[in-house]
Amino acid sequence: METSSPANPYRNRPMESSRHNIQDTESQVDSSNVQQFNDGTIEPQHLTFTLQFLEWQGLYEIEKPFQIFINVPKDAEDPRDTNLVFKSVDVKVHDVRGHLDKYTLDDHGFMYRQHSTVVSDFANRNDVVNSYLPEVEALLRRELDGVDRVFFFDWRLRRNEPEVEGAVIDMNDPTTWLRPAVHVHIDQSPAAVLKRIQLQLKEDAPYLLRGRVRIINVWRPLISSVQDWPLALCDGSTVDPTDLVETDHVRRHYTGSTLYLMHNPQQRFYYLSGQGKGEAVIFKNFDSDKRVKARHAPHASFLHPDAKVGRVVPRESIEVRAFVFTYPKGVEPPHNGNPCRKPNGR
């Protein structure tokens, strides 16, 4: 169990505010609290399960943590594609079923909402961009305060299916099915947030960075009930900033950075048992407002102990990532202030 680590330049620190610097797994069941999925009921289930947390290495004092998502030549001077080391930690996760209204975006970093969609084929890029993203935008405008502009920069499909050895994954194609992400993480580091705004919204960046900036994910199942790989979320108000480690993500055309979480006993995790396709979870990856209790929600998938291979429908899900901007008070936007969405939804 990681309780403390030496100081290092790549651990996340509290974010300073300025106009230019914004802010497998085997589970064990507490059988007294669990009901089988196949008995026709969904009861609150508080589980002790295994999550994958980053384990601090002395190497990180002199070399920034990294992951490379392109093929590294075998004859390269440094053939590594990562220097990350993870460890398994048994963690209790609390089922929010029956208590959904208790959890809020600013107090916990996540919330659940009923949300329907007209889209049936999520592997169809046009259907996602032209129908689903507008539905998600309407959801965000209805459920969040201060939404002046929404900019979608990414969406991803995930499916629980066996890995194919040697298969090449095109990370530039959002219709590519990815496996569930099992390491506890936050999608975007503060530095990555700033870089992406300046890259993709360059003309408006000076104005947008004067207001509130949030990165919001909307995650939903594409099947009737997730029984094998649910999504666990950490209450952002229980996360010590020094337990977050910035890691470079190197792709062929873009290098971003994410945050991996080291375990701390004060962290509290939650999930929604039997989450269905009409139940969306809205959660934060970043919030420049330092007044709120939760500015993010680290998250990861875990293998449900009741899942039997071949006896449950494999999880399928879609997640959408969006900038949500609140304009600075008393300053007119540089354009007409309409939502900005890239044609391909990224």
Side-chain angles (χ1 to χ4, degrees), residues 12-23 190 194 209 286-290 295:
N12 186 44
R13 299 300 179 189
M15 294 166 280
E16 298 297 325
S17 175
S18 73
R19 60 183 295 180
H20 295 299
N21 181 21
I22 62 176
Q23 337 259 1
L194 181 61
L209 294 175
F286 177 83
D287 190 344
S288 63
D289 189 347
K290 296 192 291 186
R295 300 173 67 190

Side-chain angles (χ1 to χ4, degrees), residues 325-346:
F325 297 104
T326 302
Y327 293 154
K329 293 182 179 180
V331 182
E332 288 296 320
H335 301 300
N336 60 12
N338 289 333
C340 178
R341 185 186 300 112
K342 296 191 73 172
N344 66 351
R346 288 179 59 80

Side-chain angles (χ1 to χ4, degrees), residues 248-262:
D248 281 345
H249 274 193
V250 181
R251 296 187 169 92
R252 189 172 303 279
H253 302 295
Y254 184 80
T255 297
S257 54
T258 190
L259 296 170
Y260 282 108
L261 185 66
M262 297 190 298

Side-chain angles (χ1 to χ4, degrees), residues 151 153 195-202 342 346:
F151 179 83
F153 64 89
K195 179 179 179 179
R196 188 174 288 276
I197 292 175
Q198 293 176 329
L199 177 67
Q200 295 186 278
L201 296 165
K202 183 177 181 179
K342 296 191 73 172
R346 288 179 59 80

Side-chain angles (χ1 to χ4, degrees), residues 58-199:
L59 174 65
Y60 303 154
E61 295 283 357
I62 57 174
E63 179 180 81
K64 187 175 183 180
F66 69 88
Q67 289 177 294
I68 299 176
F69 293 92
I70 56 177
N71 291 330
V72 180
K74 294 181 179 180
D75 59 352
E77 182 177 348
D78 184 350
R80 298 175 301 163
D81 57 11
T82 186
N83 62 358
L84 299 180
V85 177
F86 295 95
K87 67 175 182 178
S88 300
V89 181
D90 290 341
V91 179
K92 190 164 189 176
V93 63
H94 303 270
D95 188 0
V96 303
R97 177 70 66 184
H99 305 280
L100 298 183
D101 293 341
K102 178 180 176 181
Y103 303 94
T104 65
L105 202 58
D106 283 345
D107 286 346
H108 304 90
F110 62 89
M111 62 183 181
Y112 293 86
R113 292 294 185 268
Q114 294 290 326
H115 185 240
S116 60
T117 176
V118 300
V119 178
S120 58
D121 183 7
F122 285 87
N124 185 311
R125 184 194 297 258
N126 288 333
D127 286 355
V128 172
V129 172
N130 296 322
S131 297
Y132 187 61
L133 294 188
E135 291 174 345
V136 172
E137 180 173 325
L139 173 69
L140 295 175
R141 289 184 176 276
R142 183 174 69 247
E143 298 294 342
L144 276 63
D145 295 329
V147 179
D148 290 319
R149 185 173 178 181
V150 176
F151 179 83
F152 295 106
F153 64 89
D154 195 18
W155 54 275
R156 293 287 166 183
L157 300 173
R158 294 188 185 273
R159 174 190 287 154
N160 176 27
E161 60 183 1
E163 292 188 67
V164 178
E165 186 175 355
V168 178
I169 298 176
D170 184 359
M171 297 298 293
N172 293 315
D173 181 4
T175 64
T176 298
W177 291 93
L178 306 177
R179 288 179 54 78
V182 300
H183 303 111
V184 187
H185 68 285
I186 296 171
D187 293 355
Q188 306 281 329
S189 73
V193 174
L194 181 61
K195 179 179 179 179
R196 188 174 288 276
I197 292 175
Q198 293 176 329
L199 177 67

